[in-house]
């Protein structure tokens, strides 16, 4: 009998959890499809953007993962849509992909909420390319200001970070450390005291969702590191010269990072959507009206017992993936589906060297060095692959002991070839929308 074919779209946290959950299941073959050829550890993207880590430290080849799971294969392709009658996926290049069961795990992208100029002028931080482009852009601003210090008045050394959630907070802290501790030594002729990191947050505090004492601790730490806070303010407009806040204030800045929100991304499915473009799902994460189809992680509109949407976090995606793998096996065994329950084991955010906040079960709250060590340990064990773990550990130890950031390299990402060449197809598959 032909094996039951489970196709998983997305090699992120959720998609890989499905593949792992089905790894030893008899009579099942799993195909993981992703537009990139790697699994990306997004929580450490900000360290690539601030030159603390190399891209390869936080990305792991998807084929290497599939190879180790007996029943899984991988294909790199951009999925464009689903043909429900034929039960196939339409892909940008190559033959349609047939499926018996389908798991949509396509994640989320930066959302700029229609703020004028944000999509054109601000950097996002969702993909590996975003982090490398941002790192190169930042370093280039310092090189340009070194050549012509008048550019500092135009915001060459100013970064506006929009959004005071974990990503914005982590970026703001890491940027001041990069500027003051590393680039200050690289650019001795530049007046680093004139560099600015401004964090704009609509709410009256950073890290909304954390306990008030942790929010206050994070705010104090950011201020101590030299981050300027614009709390209770929002960005009304972004252009090439900087941002305009809702109170009319203009901030000249050559670098704007948009960390104020994400929206779900999915191929064309025609499926009903819940809030923020997320695919509506039943309590067991099945897509209503489409037997054998599931959505998990950032793209799924799953809710908790009170009807509150589940947060777009890695553990939600991982637990959702594990749950769906089990439901696929239960259905094949003729058993009824089970509702998905997310178990919150805590949330953390780091603000920089020996500064973090952690909100754990049983009301345990950590700050400072202890929270920072917990954050380091957790991220290290969650990375895939011994080489990546070792490399991240070495880089962190090196950065900590020497106050250095080895990855402060400007990479020109433009394709130098004048004519479309043989690699064109691969490039368009890898780049996505
Ligand atoms: C900067 C940053 C920091 C974060 N920090 C934390 C943190 O500290 N803790 C935490 O818990 N969470 C954090 N998150 C959130 C966490 O990374 C996400 O919740 C998690 O990645 C969601 O997993 P997922 O499997 O749903 O999607 P993803 O991990 O985003 O994976 C989706 C995959 O689908 C692929 N894909 C998308 N569309 C298509 C298509 N059409 N065809 C083929 N492939 C496609 C993408 O290439 C991607 O590989 C952070 C996110 C970011 C961006």
């Amino acid at each position: 009998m032909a094996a039951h074919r489970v196709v998983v779209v997305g090699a992120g946290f959720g998609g890989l959890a499905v593949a792992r959950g089905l790894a030893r299941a008899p009579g099942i073959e799993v195909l993981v499809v992703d537009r990139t050829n790697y699994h990306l550890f997004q929580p450490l993207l900000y360290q690539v953007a601030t030159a603390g880590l190399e891209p390869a430290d936080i990305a792991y080849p998807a084929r290497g993962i599939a190879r180790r799971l007996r029943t899984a294969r991988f294909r790199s392709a951009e999925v464009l849509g689903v043909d429900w009658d034929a039960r196939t996926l339409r892909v940008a290049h190559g033959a349609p992909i047939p499926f018996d069961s389908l798991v949509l795990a396509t994640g989320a992208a930066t959302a700029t909420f229609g703020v004028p100029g944000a999509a054109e002028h601000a950097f996002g931080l969702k993909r590996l390319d975003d982090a490398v482009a941002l790192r190169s852009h930042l370093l280039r601003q310092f090189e340009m200001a070194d050549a012509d210090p008048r550019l500092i008045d135009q915001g060459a050394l100013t970064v506006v970070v929009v959004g005071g959630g974990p990503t914005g907070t982590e970026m703001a802290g890491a940027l001041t450390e990069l500027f003051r501790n590393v680039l200050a030594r690289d650019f001795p002729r530049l007046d680093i005291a004139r560099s600015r990191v401004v964090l704009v947050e609509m709410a009256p505090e950073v890290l909304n969702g954390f306990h008030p004492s942790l929010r206050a601790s994070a705010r104090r730490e950011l201020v101590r590191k030299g981050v300027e806070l614009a709390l209770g303010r929002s960005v009304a407009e972004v252009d090439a010269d900087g941002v305009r806040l809702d109170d009319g204030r203009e901030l000249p800045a050559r670098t704007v990072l948009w960390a104020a929100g994400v929206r779900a991304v999915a191929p064309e499915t025609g499926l009903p959507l819940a809030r923020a473009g997320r695919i509506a799902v039943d309590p067991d994460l099945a897509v209503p009206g489409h037997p054998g189809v599931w959505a998990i992680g950032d793209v799924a509109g799953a809710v908790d017992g009170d009807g509150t949407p589940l947060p777009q976090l890695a553990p939600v995606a991982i637990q959702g993936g594990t749950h769906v793998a089990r439901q696929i096996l239960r259905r094949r065994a003729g058993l009824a589906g089970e509702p998905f329950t997310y178990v919150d084991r805590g949330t953390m955010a780091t603000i920089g060297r020996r500064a973090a906040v952690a909100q754990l079960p049983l009301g345990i709250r950590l700050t400072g060095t202890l929270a920072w060590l917990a954050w380091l340990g957790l991220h290290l064990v969650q990375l895939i692959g011994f080489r990546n773990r070792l490399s991240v550990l070495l880089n962190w130890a090196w950065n900590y002991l020497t106050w250095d950031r080895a990855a402060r390299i400007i990479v020109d990402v433009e394709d130098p070839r004048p004519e479309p060449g043989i690699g064109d197809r691969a490039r368009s598959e890898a780049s996505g929308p």
Side-chain angles (χ1 to χ4, degrees):
M1 205 175 79
H4 181 86
R5 194 161 212 247
V6 179
V7 175
V8 182
V9 188
F13 288 103
L16 291 190
V18 179
R20 284 205 187 96
L22 296 173
R24 269 155 196 73
I28 288 194
E29 67 173 39
V30 179
L31 177 69
V32 179
V33 184
D34 200 294
R35 63 181 170 211
T36 70
N37 75 335
Y38 51 81
H39 165 77
L40 178 63
F41 193 82
Q42 293 174 18
L44 290 178
L45 265 178
Y46 85 94
Q47 295 209 0
V48 173
T50 51
L53 293 175
E54 290 287 356
D57 293 338
I58 65 160
Y60 195 93
R63 281 182 188 273
I65 299 168
R67 210 170 56 199
R68 288 207 306 266
L69 302 172
R70 270 214 316 257
T71 48
R73 286 190 304 114
F74 175 77
R75 175 162 161 195
S76 178
E78 166 113 38
V79 175
L80 300 177
V82 186
D83 180 341
W84 294 114
D85 293 330
R87 282 183 96 74
T88 54
L89 298 178
R90 214 157 19 88
V91 288
H93 299 281
I97 300 174
F99 61 84
D100 297 313
S101 292
L102 174 67
V103 186
L104 296 165
T106 41
T110 303
T112 52
F113 308 112
V115 171
E120 296 79 12
H121 299 290
F123 285 85
L125 193 62
K126 234 3 226 169
R127 296 158 62 144
L128 204 48
D129 319 26
D130 293 336
V132 175
L134 178 54
R135 178 184 78 188
S136 298
H137 172 86
L138 276 170
L139 295 173
R140 200 170 280 122
Q141 299 313 305
F142 276 77
E143 293 293 350
M144 285 163 67
D146 193 48
D148 181 359
R150 287 171 304 177
L151 294 176
I152 299 178
D153 291 332
Q154 296 169 26
L157 304 188
T158 301
V159 182
V160 173
V161 179
V162 188
T167 301
T169 306
E170 290 176 348
M171 259 317 271
L175 283 168
T176 53
E177 287 185 351
L178 174 70
F179 293 176
R180 292 175 174 205
N181 304 328
V182 184
L183 298 184
R185 287 186 289 157
D186 275 357
F187 296 91
R189 292 186 319 151
L190 272 182
D191 183 3
I192 290 290
R194 294 180 65 201
S195 68
R196 295 174 71 192
V197 177
V198 186
L199 179 61
V200 184
E201 166 56 47
M202 260 169 116
E205 284 285 7
V206 294
L207 295 182
N208 201 7
F210 280 73
H211 187 270
S213 65
L214 299 181
R215 283 188 248 155
S217 163
R219 179 174 24 84
R220 279 195 304 275
E221 201 54 55
L222 286 167
V223 171
R224 200 179 63 78
K225 286 188 179 300
V227 175
E228 297 172 43
L229 297 175
L231 300 176
R233 294 267 69 93
S234 61
V235 168
E237 192 175 351
V238 185
D239 64 21
D241 300 321
V243 304
R244 184 168 54 76
L245 300 183
D246 56 348
D247 60 2
R249 201 162 24 129
E250 299 203 340
L251 297 174
R254 287 285 177 90
T255 312
V256 179
L257 169 69
W258 197 268
V262 293
R263 66 181 161 80
V265 282
E268 256 175 51
T269 60
L271 294 172
L273 299 180
R275 255 174 50 172
R278 295 162 84 172
I279 295 171
V281 289
D282 286 333
D284 61 351
L285 302 183
V287 173
H290 290 276
V293 180
W294 317 80
I296 56 170
D298 284 4
V299 77
V303 293
D304 66 13
D306 307 333
T308 312
L310 292 181
Q312 286 166 303
L313 291 173
V316 177
I318 294 168
Q319 291 178 32
T322 308
H323 169 85
V324 162
R326 198 170 53 239
Q327 300 316 301
I328 291 172
L329 296 176
R330 282 179 70 86
R331 284 208 180 183
R332 279 177 58 75
L335 300 170
E338 304 162 315
F340 171 58
T341 313
Y342 167 57
V343 183
D344 182 359
R345 299 200 176 94
T347 335
M348 297 183 185
T350 174
I351 301 113
R353 174 179 278 249
R354 297 171 67 172
V357 292
Q359 185 164 286
L360 305 173
L362 306 173
I364 298 170
R365 291 187 282 276
L366 306 177
T367 57
T369 306
L370 205 55
W372 183 67
L373 288 172
W375 184 92
L376 291 179
L378 184 83
H379 284 74
L380 210 53
V381 297
Q382 283 181 338
L383 275 167
I384 293 183
F386 179 72
R387 194 211 73 89
N388 287 33
R389 284 193 201 122
L390 187 65
S391 175
V392 167
L393 184 64
L394 281 175
N395 271 308
W396 281 351
W398 179 263
N399 297 350
Y400 186 80
L401 294 173
T402 63
W403 295 88
D404 197 10
R405 305 270 176 99
R408 47 192 204 285
I409 306 294
I410 296 175
V411 183
D412 193 354
V413 286
E414 269 179 33
D415 190 334
R417 290 174 301 175
E419 296 293 330
I422 199 162
D424 221 38
R425 169 175 299 188
R427 275 206 312 284
S428 68
E429 269 196 9
S431 64

